[in-house]
Every structure is written in C-alpha cells, then in structure tokens.
C-alpha cells in the first residue's frame, strides 16, 4: 500500500478567526512553489490541508515539508470509505508496513463524524482485533506502544496513518507582510532572516557589496545564503547594492573611529529607500546586544537616528552559541563561515567608537551631501530572484 496523500495540521493559524483563509492560502501557495511538481495537488480546507501525491514520493516531499513555516505537524495518510472491512484491511496493511523492529501497537480512533454507528472504543477493538488475528508477533500496548495507528472517521471518508512528523511551527511566510533584511555574509543575519520568515514575514534581502575590496566569491556566498533561506517557504529577492564609492567617501570624510557608525547609517538610509520601493514595512538586522562595537545601545541609537522605520532585531538578546546552533539547524552555518570577507570587515577601523555620539556623527557627515551617492547606489542596485537554478546564478556573476 502506498500513501496517496499527506494530511497537514495547522499550527498557530488555527487560532485565527475571520481572516484564517488568508493564512491558509498563503501556506498553500508557499507549499506549491516549494514542491514545484505539477502532479502534486494541494487543497487547503478550513482546519487542515491535504497534499495529493499522485505518485510522487512521500519521502521527497517530507524532506521539504519539514521546513515550511505554519505547519504544526503532518502525516502521510491512506484514505478509505466508511466501510468497516475496507478500514480493517487498510489498517492491517499499514501496520505491517510501518512496524519496523517493534512488536506492540495501539489503535487510536477519532470520530469527527458523530453519526457513524460505532463509537471509538468499539472501533479500536474491531480494528485492533483484526490486526492481531492476522499477524503473528504483534500485541496491543495502550500505554507505551511501538506504533500508534491513528484512524480518523470523517463524513466523507476514513483516514489512516501510522506516522506524525513535527512541522516547523510559526506562521506561513509572507502572511505578515514584507521586511527588508540586511544580509551580510556573517552568521547572524541569515538566522535573523529565518526567524522573521518563521513569523510570517516575507524577506527582501539587501546586501552591500564593495568590489574590488570584496570578491565575487563573497557575493556568491550571500546569494547562497539567501537561496538557503528560500526553503523556509518563500521567494526572496536579493538586492545587491554597489557600496564601494560610499565606503571610500566615508573613509575620506569621517574620522576613523566614526567610520563604522557612519557606514551603518548610510546602509540604513539605502535600506530604507529599498524598503519604500518594495512596499516593505520594516528593516531587519542580525544585531545582538554587545556582540561587537556597532552593537552597543549607544551605537544602535546613533545608527537608528537616520530613520523612523521600525528596525527589528530578532537576535538582540541571543547568545552567539545559540545563534550558531540555529544556523547549523537551518543550513546556513557552513556557508557563513566560508572565509570571504564582506565590505564591513575590510573597512573596519582598528578602534571603532563603542559609544558613538549621534550629534558627532551628524556633524562629521554634514560636510558632504550623501544624497546623490545614495541615489546612485539605489539606481545601480542589482536584483536577483531566488530560488534560482545554478546556471542562472553563474550567468549573473
Ligand atoms: P552578521 O553575522 O550578520 O554579519 P555581525 O555580528 O558581523 O553580523 P555587524 O558586522 O556589526 O555584525 O553587522 C550587524 C548587522 O548589520 C548584520 O547582522 C547585518 O544585518 C548588517 N550588515 C552588516 N554588513 C552588511 C552588509 N555588507 N550588507 C548587508 N547588511 C550588513
Ligand atoms: Mg558581519
């Protein structure tokens, strides 16, 4: 017997009231895009979703589905009619197939269709008895079974499953609107992006790139990071902003210990322009309090001074080790630790100001009009749509 469909249970979506369909439709389109397989169909109902495999392999789909935000859990299921003999036969076959190594099982029936003539107790016995009679080594253990067969009796059909796989939780990517993610090549910002995606935020990634100080491989690294994030349910547009002339100008214009503060302020101004252009609502960074000079509260205040846009910092209270653990889990760690420097590392002064004063950096910047440079950088920004096939990315480089 082959599983022919997957039953998907919603997580937090199920606490939503009137606009629930907005969330379920978003999740449905995320799943469809991710699976990218014409034979697979997705049907979103009010309290659950069905993915019809139509011959596709459950294991392949499962690998992708575990990452999709908004899913509480999912199970591969077999559908039968309400005919008891048919249910029993399917149950026997499923238990035989799913039992690997163990010897005990139990049947757990849920009766959504209250008009069904047998109650759950009787159904458990009928189905369990049939399995026992037709197998040799199996016994029933209701407290601690090796395998639980879940039988769900609904009006339209009966669904049987032996396996429940935990989903990623959270909300469907894109359901909460869009934000601009400042994506460096480091460990933190991809994790920050992942956490926001998990809360339903669609990401427009922005990366500041300073050739020839930073290499094409540093750029490829950021493309790979953004691409790795797309498996959490959404498409990502990556905006690569040419930043060389701005960094050189800051270097000439601003005293060395304030160059980092000023660089971050200009990044913020450009990100805010891209936010406006893309209809995004906030800016996300990978900052974590006290991690480096630019991440003191004084520093964040001086950087934040250039905009009223909400700046979201999902990692602000996280420890580096915890961030690294998430990075490993989501598959960005090994890309992030590749040794290609991003623009900030290269221009970082020996002794950046850890407690910069906003008035001072404003004063240093006041000798030059950065607006034309900012406009130019925004105009020359290159945008890449992800996920993309390898060949297409190579063409871009
Ligand atoms: P990360 O690990 O994300 O690089 P970090 O610990 O290196 O962070 P900083 O270099 O102070 O910290 O950068 C703080 C944040 O500023 C980053 O998390 C990222 O959101 C943003 N940022 C830094 N450099 C760039 C860049 N070249 N392009 C886009 N965003 C950047
Ligand atoms: Mg960094």
């Amino acid at each position: 017997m082959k599983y022919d469909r997957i039953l998907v249970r919603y997580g937090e979506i199920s606490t939503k009231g009137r606009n629930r369909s907005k969330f379920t439709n978003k999740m449905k389109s995320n799943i469809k895009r991710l699976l990218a397989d014409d034979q697979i169909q997705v049907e979103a109902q009010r309290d659950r979703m069905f993915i019809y495999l139509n011959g596709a392999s459950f294991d392949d789909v499962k690998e992708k589905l575990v990452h999709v935000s908004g899913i509480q859990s999912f199970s591969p299921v077999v559908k039968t009619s309400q005919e008891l003999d048919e249910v029993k036969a399917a149950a026997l076959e499923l238990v035989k197939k799913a039992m690997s190594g163990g010897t005990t099982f139990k049947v757990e029936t849920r009766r959504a269709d209250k008009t069904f003539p047998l109650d759950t107790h009787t159904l458990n016995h009928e189905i369990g008895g049939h399995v026992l009679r037709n197998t040799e080594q199996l016994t029933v253990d209701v407290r601690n079974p090796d395998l639980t067969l879940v039988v769900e009796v609904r009006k339209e059909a009966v669904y049987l499953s032996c396996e429940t796989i935990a989903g990623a939780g959270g909300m469907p990517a894109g359901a909460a609107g869009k934000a601009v993610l400042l994506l460096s090549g480091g460990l933190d910002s991809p994790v920050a992006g992942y956490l926001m995606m998990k809360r339903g935020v669609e990401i427009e990634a922005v990366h500041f790139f300073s050739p020839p100080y930073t290499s094409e491989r540093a750029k490829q690294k950021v493309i790979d990071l953004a691409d790795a994030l797309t498996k959490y349910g959404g498409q990502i547009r990556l905006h690569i902003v040419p930043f060389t002339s701005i960094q050189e100008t800051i270097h000439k214009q601003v005293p060395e210990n304030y160059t980092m503060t000023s660089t971050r302020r200009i990044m913020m101004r450009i990100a805010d322009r891209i936010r406006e252009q893309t209809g995004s609502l906030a800016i996300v960074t990978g900052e974590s309090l006290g991690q480096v000079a630019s991440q003191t509260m004084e520093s964040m205040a001086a950087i934040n001074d250039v905009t009223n846009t909400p700046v979201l910092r999902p990692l602000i209270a996280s420890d580096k080790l915890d961030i690294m653990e998430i990075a490993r889990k989501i598959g960005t760690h090994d890309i992030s630790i590749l040794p290609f420097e991003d623009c900030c590392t290269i221009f970082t002064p020996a002794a950046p100001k850890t407690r910069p004063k906003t008035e001072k950096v404003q004063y240093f910047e006041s000798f030059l009009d950065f607006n034309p440079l900012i406009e130019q950088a925004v105009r020359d920004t290159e945008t890449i749509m992800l996920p993309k096939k390898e060949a297409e990315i190579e063409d871009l480089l």
Side-chain angles (χ1 to χ4, degrees):
M1 175 173 308
K2 247 183 115 143
Y3 290 124
D4 62 349
R5 70 194 65 203
I6 300 171
L7 185 163
V8 175
R9 300 175 194 86
Y10 303 143
E12 252 181 84
I13 303 176
S14 46
T15 64
K16 301 290 163 207
R18 267 181 303 137
N19 47 14
R20 185 194 291 210
S21 63
K22 197 182 101 193
F23 293 94
T24 53
N25 285 335
K26 194 78 207 175
M27 194 159 100
K28 176 178 164 180
S29 62
N30 290 346
I31 290 175
K32 282 187 86 147
R33 195 172 44 236
L34 193 74
L35 298 180
D37 184 333
D38 291 339
Q39 63 181 342
I40 296 176
Q41 287 165 305
V42 184
E43 183 196 346
Q45 298 178 359
R46 200 186 136 66
D47 54 352
R48 58 196 31 231
M49 192 174 283
F50 282 106
I51 299 174
Y52 300 101
L53 292 168
N54 294 325
S57 136
F58 168 67
D59 290 329
D60 291 351
V61 174
K62 170 179 158 181
E63 220 162 86
K64 292 181 176 164
L65 221 51
V66 289
H67 300 302
V68 176
S69 58
I71 297 180
Q72 185 66 28
S73 67
F74 60 95
S75 301
V77 297
V78 169
K79 180 185 178 187
T80 71
S81 73
Q82 284 196 349
E83 207 55 58
L84 192 55
D85 285 341
E86 207 188 317
V87 176
K88 283 178 176 173
L92 175 63
E93 226 182 302
L94 254 189
V95 171
K96 274 187 180 166
K97 187 178 156 225
M99 185 67 83
S100 56
T103 53
T104 58
F105 77 100
K106 80 166 174 183
V107 182
E108 202 176 283
T109 305
R110 294 176 199 148
R111 215 173 50 127
D113 176 10
K114 300 294 177 212
T115 65
F116 192 77
L118 304 178
D119 64 15
T120 55
H121 186 74
T122 315
L123 274 168
N124 287 345
H125 273 258
E126 284 284 335
I127 299 167
H130 181 73
V131 173
L132 282 175
R133 277 192 300 279
N134 291 284
T135 51
E136 276 169 12
Q137 275 139 11
L138 300 190
T139 52
V140 170
D141 180 349
V142 288
R143 283 183 202 285
N144 193 19
D146 297 321
L147 186 103
T148 302
L149 169 69
V150 177
V151 179
E152 215 176 314
V153 182
R154 294 176 79 88
K155 268 218 155 28
E156 73 285 2
V158 176
Y159 299 100
L160 300 95
S161 175
C162 283
E163 215 183 325
T164 297
I165 297 133
M171 299 294 285
K178 263 201 288 197
V180 161
L181 167 69
L182 296 189
L183 184 63
S184 69
L187 273 163
D188 304 319
S189 42
V191 174
Y194 161 74
L195 292 174
M196 296 311 297
M197 287 174 85
K198 213 178 143 183
R199 288 311 302 168
V201 173
E202 185 180 338
I203 292 298
E204 296 270 350
V206 173
H207 178 69
F208 297 92
F209 180 55
S210 299
Y213 303 105
T214 51
S215 67
E216 287 299 318
R217 295 175 77 182
K219 179 175 169 183
Q220 180 65 49
K221 181 177 165 184
V222 174
I223 295 174
D224 291 345
L225 284 171
D227 196 50
L229 289 177
T230 59
K231 62 166 173 292
Y232 301 101
Q235 272 171 313
I236 294 181
R237 275 195 298 180
L238 170 62
H239 306 270
I240 299 187
V241 184
F243 204 49
T244 315
S245 58
I246 291 177
Q247 285 209 295
E248 288 170 342
T249 309
I250 293 171
H251 232 66
K252 277 190 231 128
Q253 189 64 38
V254 175
E256 183 172 298
N257 58 352
Y258 266 87
T259 52
M260 197 218 21
T261 314
S262 191
T263 305
R264 286 296 147 81
R265 283 163 57 92
I266 307 293
M267 280 186 177
M268 202 56 108
R269 284 167 67 178
I270 294 175
D272 215 15
R273 290 291 316 276
I274 295 175
R275 179 196 62 76
E276 246 173 64
Q277 282 180 1
T278 56
S280 304
L281 301 167
I283 296 171
V284 179
T285 77
E287 288 161 309
S288 164
L289 188 62
Q291 206 188 81
V292 289
S294 62
Q295 297 175 23
T296 61
M297 286 202 267
E298 290 85 347
S299 202
M300 280 187 261
I303 296 165
N304 224 152
D305 168 61
V306 299
T307 178
N308 288 322
T309 299
V311 177
L312 310 178
R313 302 176 175 90
L315 300 177
I316 197 67
S318 300
D319 294 345
K320 193 75 185 186
L321 288 179
D322 297 333
I323 297 170
M324 286 168 76
E325 198 178 312
I326 302 177
R328 277 197 199 91
K329 194 185 87 184
I330 65 174
T332 56
H333 177 273
D334 291 358
I335 309 172
S336 289
I337 61 170
L338 293 172
F340 316 117
E341 309 284 0
D342 74 15
C343 60
C344 305
T345 336
I346 283 155
F347 279 92
T348 301
K353 201 85 184 145
T354 50
R355 306 197 188 292
K357 301 228 171 357
T358 305
E359 314 78 64
K360 278 202 177 171
V361 67
Q362 284 171 343
Y363 173 75
F364 298 139
E365 288 173 6
S366 70
F367 295 93
L368 195 113
D369 181 9
F370 277 96
N371 279 322
L373 286 173
I374 291 176
E375 293 305 321
Q376 186 67 39
V378 172
R379 262 200 308 278
D380 294 343
T381 292
E382 173 196 8
T383 299
I384 303 174
M385 187 65 131
L386 297 166
K388 220 176 187 52
K389 293 187 196 80
E390 293 295 318
E392 287 172 293
I393 294 176
E394 264 154 35
D395 282 350
L396 281 161
L397 291 172

